[in-house]
Amino acid sequence: MGEFIVWMNRLPDAVIYVGLALGAGLENFVPALPADTFVALGGFLAGAGDLQAEWVLLGTWLCNVAGALLVFRMSHLYGPAFFERGLGRHILRPHQMQRMTQFYDRWGAPAIFFSRFLPGVRAIVPVFAGATHQPASKVVLPIAIASAIWYGGLVQIGLVAGRN
């Protein structure tokens, strides 16, 4: 681990910030790659090196939220057709999509908010929120606020670990 930190500290700070931010955004497209890893690593590097925790948080948060909203928008546009034919029809049956729409109509904003604290789940929620045509007003703020809280906590944990 020491060699990794030394190697990372040799890179320009801007390269590290961009790499962490892009890594956090990738979660929305590759759910098996959790943003938490990049966020906590950034906090750790801020505690152990010369990165600024605020920039780590801002970059990872912005990229992850932007990625989630891009997925939401794309699913809003193309999701229903995807789930009606082709591979998507094997993922969800029409009655399941209808039940999901009812779920989002009833619990949308709170469900989206709390899902942001669950790695893996947080990456698929915008897909189904978009496919069920939830309004952006039920999606944007819950994603942004919950992600800020979660990532802020992860950066803080990383800072403490990096300082020790």
Side-chain angles (χ1 to χ4, degrees), residues 20-32:
L20 293 170
L22 292 175
L26 277 176
E27 174 185 58
N28 297 288
F29 307 97
V30 184

Side-chain angles (χ1 to χ4, degrees), residues 30-41:
V30 184
L33 187 65
D36 298 359
T37 305
F38 295 94
V39 177
L41 174 63

